[in-house]
Amino acid sequence: MASSQTTSAIRMSSDLASFRKELRQAKHVVALTGAGVSAESGVPTFRGAGGFWRKWQATDLATPQAFNRNPSLVWEFYHYRREVMLTKKPNNGHIAIAKCEKRFLSEGRKFTVITQNIDELHYTAGSKNIIELHGSLFRVRCTKCGHREVDRSSPICEALKDRGEPDVDVPDARIPVDQLPKCRQPDCGGLVRPDVVWFGEMLDEVVLQKATAELDTCDLCLVVGTSSVVYPAAMFAPELASRGVTVAEFNVEETPASGAFKYYFQGPSGETLPSALAP
Ligand code: BV8
Ligand code: ZN
């Protein structure tokens, strides 16, 4: 529970009592999360100051074109983000979401997390029913045979050891392809890539179907820490609102989508969620 001091510091722009009444009556909640829910865990968001790695933004490197052009540079970027996660923990926002899911389950109600994040912090916080729209930092996919597997190794390959530093003046490692992470399937040995959805790539059909099925049956949606600019995730909550489903946004600032939502709670989600989702 946020301390009284921080609660008074948070300007709750909507009527918390009214939201909590709807939360008590909801049968199926979907929590749609973005990079902002992990910000207080120290994970850089995409569009904040932390959105740069060396001289690039994620949108420059999180593309199939960038990977085909320079797999070494893209692997340095993902290797850096994997290593960063080794020291990051879920914050009170992730934990409040996980506790709310547990309470809903004990009351025969449904709670689904649909996240745009690839940092797996919702799993670590104890959430169970999670849909990762954009994949995971800790899964790889072979570019040759398509084999997917979880890979938490640090470093993911010898050549990336101590590489990936984020400072703008660090020279690219220019690692030869045959020293980059390789497929472990017998007789393959193909180059593997992070198993994430890059810009310009379609979301996994099955993942999208699962997310759509959850969104079609939910009666309350929390939108937490997303700038709502990346599609198709950006249209999920506005679509629900247009169908009359209650949407509550938790963000430190208003977003292009805020106007469509019934509730807006301003403040860091690590502080606003515990009081909003408490029993
Ligand atoms: C698709 C995985 C069909 C990788 C990600 C032109 C050419 C090609 C495509 C497009 C195009 N124009 C538009 C598109 C579609 C494109 C898109 O939407 N582009 C955007 C940039 C306009 N989408 C796609 O390409 C998608 N695929 O559409 O396929 C198609 C195919 C071909 C051609 C056309 C269409 C695939 C998109 C998935 C990309 N992969 N991640 C990786 O992570 O490396 S996206 C990545 O960025 C994240 O997953 C996330 O989705 C997004 C970042 O958004 P947020 O999570 O919202 O984070 P952000 O930093 O932006 O905002 C943080 C928010 O938190 C802020 O609002 C901030 O105020 C708030 N906040 C900060 N601190 C806190 C807080 N809130 C609460 N508490 C705090 N403490
Ligand atoms: Zn393979």
Side-chain angles (χ1 to χ4, degrees):
M1 195 62 173
S3 68
S4 57
Q5 197 276 332
T6 46
T7 314
S8 60
I10 300 168
R11 189 167 66 82
M12 289 290 196
S13 319
S14 295
D15 178 349
L16 185 59
S18 155
F19 164 75
R20 284 176 52 76
K21 186 163 173 262
E22 292 204 47
L23 181 68
R24 274 194 299 278
Q25 290 161 350
K27 294 277 172 287
H28 179 189
V29 169
V30 164
L32 186 57
T33 69
V37 78
S38 298
E40 289 152 271
S41 299
V43 182
T45 63
F46 285 78
R47 283 163 188 82
F52 279 84
W53 176 80
R54 293 194 189 153
K55 63 184 181 206
W56 290 283
Q57 280 191 299
T59 39
D60 305 321
L61 298 170
T63 72
Q65 294 79 7
F67 187 73
N68 295 334
R69 199 174 41 243
N70 190 340
S72 168
L73 182 69
V74 174
W75 260 119
E76 278 200 271
F77 174 53
Y78 282 91
H79 165 67
Y80 165 72
R81 293 171 68 188
R82 289 164 56 98
E83 298 295 303
V84 160
M85 286 319 298
L86 298 179
T87 62
K88 305 300 178 213
K89 301 229 175 320
N91 62 61
N92 289 337
H94 295 107
I95 293 163
I97 288 172
K99 281 182 176 170
C100 192
E101 175 190 355
K102 199 165 175 203
R103 185 172 81 246
F104 265 55
L105 281 180
S106 71
E107 295 163 354
R109 298 193 281 167
K110 206 172 172 196
F111 193 106
T112 310
V113 175
I114 299 179
T115 187
Q116 299 172 77
N117 301 339
I118 63 174
D119 60 28
E120 294 200 351
L121 284 177
H122 283 299
Y123 282 107
T124 320
S127 287
K128 301 280 183 254
N129 187 11
I130 302 171
I131 296 172
E132 291 176 316
L133 287 176
H134 298 153
S136 163
L137 265 179
F138 302 101
R139 259 199 333 266
V140 294
R141 186 166 88 233
C142 178
T143 58
K144 201 168 145 200
C145 73
H147 175 70
R148 275 186 163 90
E149 65 177 41
V150 173
D151 184 327
R152 297 181 187 286
S153 49
S154 164
I156 188 164
C157 68
E158 202 40 44
L160 279 166
K161 188 170 168 33
D162 304 327
R163 307 312 297 251
E165 309 91 314
D167 312 313
V168 68
D169 50 1
V170 171
D172 301 348
R174 296 190 178 287
I175 298 166
V177 173
D178 63 341
Q179 290 172 33
L180 287 172
K182 278 196 281 297
C183 180
R184 293 206 193 100
Q185 286 300 91
D187 312 325
C188 183
L191 171 67
V192 299
R193 54 167 280 181
D195 190 20
V196 299
V197 180
W198 279 330
F199 287 98
E201 291 186 323
M202 308 292 275
L203 273 65
D204 179 291
E205 205 36 55
V206 173
V207 169
L208 205 48
Q209 276 161 10
K210 277 189 188 158
T212 311
E214 299 296 316
L215 291 160
D216 286 350
T217 54
C218 75
D219 53 7
L220 177 62
C221 176
L222 318 175
V223 186
V224 187
T226 180
S227 57
S228 292
V229 297
V230 173
Y231 287 82
M235 71 189 173
F236 291 161
E239 247 172 22
L240 288 176
S242 68
R243 282 199 284 116
V245 174
T246 297
V247 178
E249 184 174 37
F250 296 78
N251 200 310
V252 291
E253 62 187 11
E254 297 211 54
T255 66
S258 300
F261 303 149
K262 185 171 182 183
Y263 297 100
Y264 171 69
F265 297 109
Q266 178 151 35
S269 47
E271 295 179 20
T272 53
L273 283 175
S275 23
L277 302 185

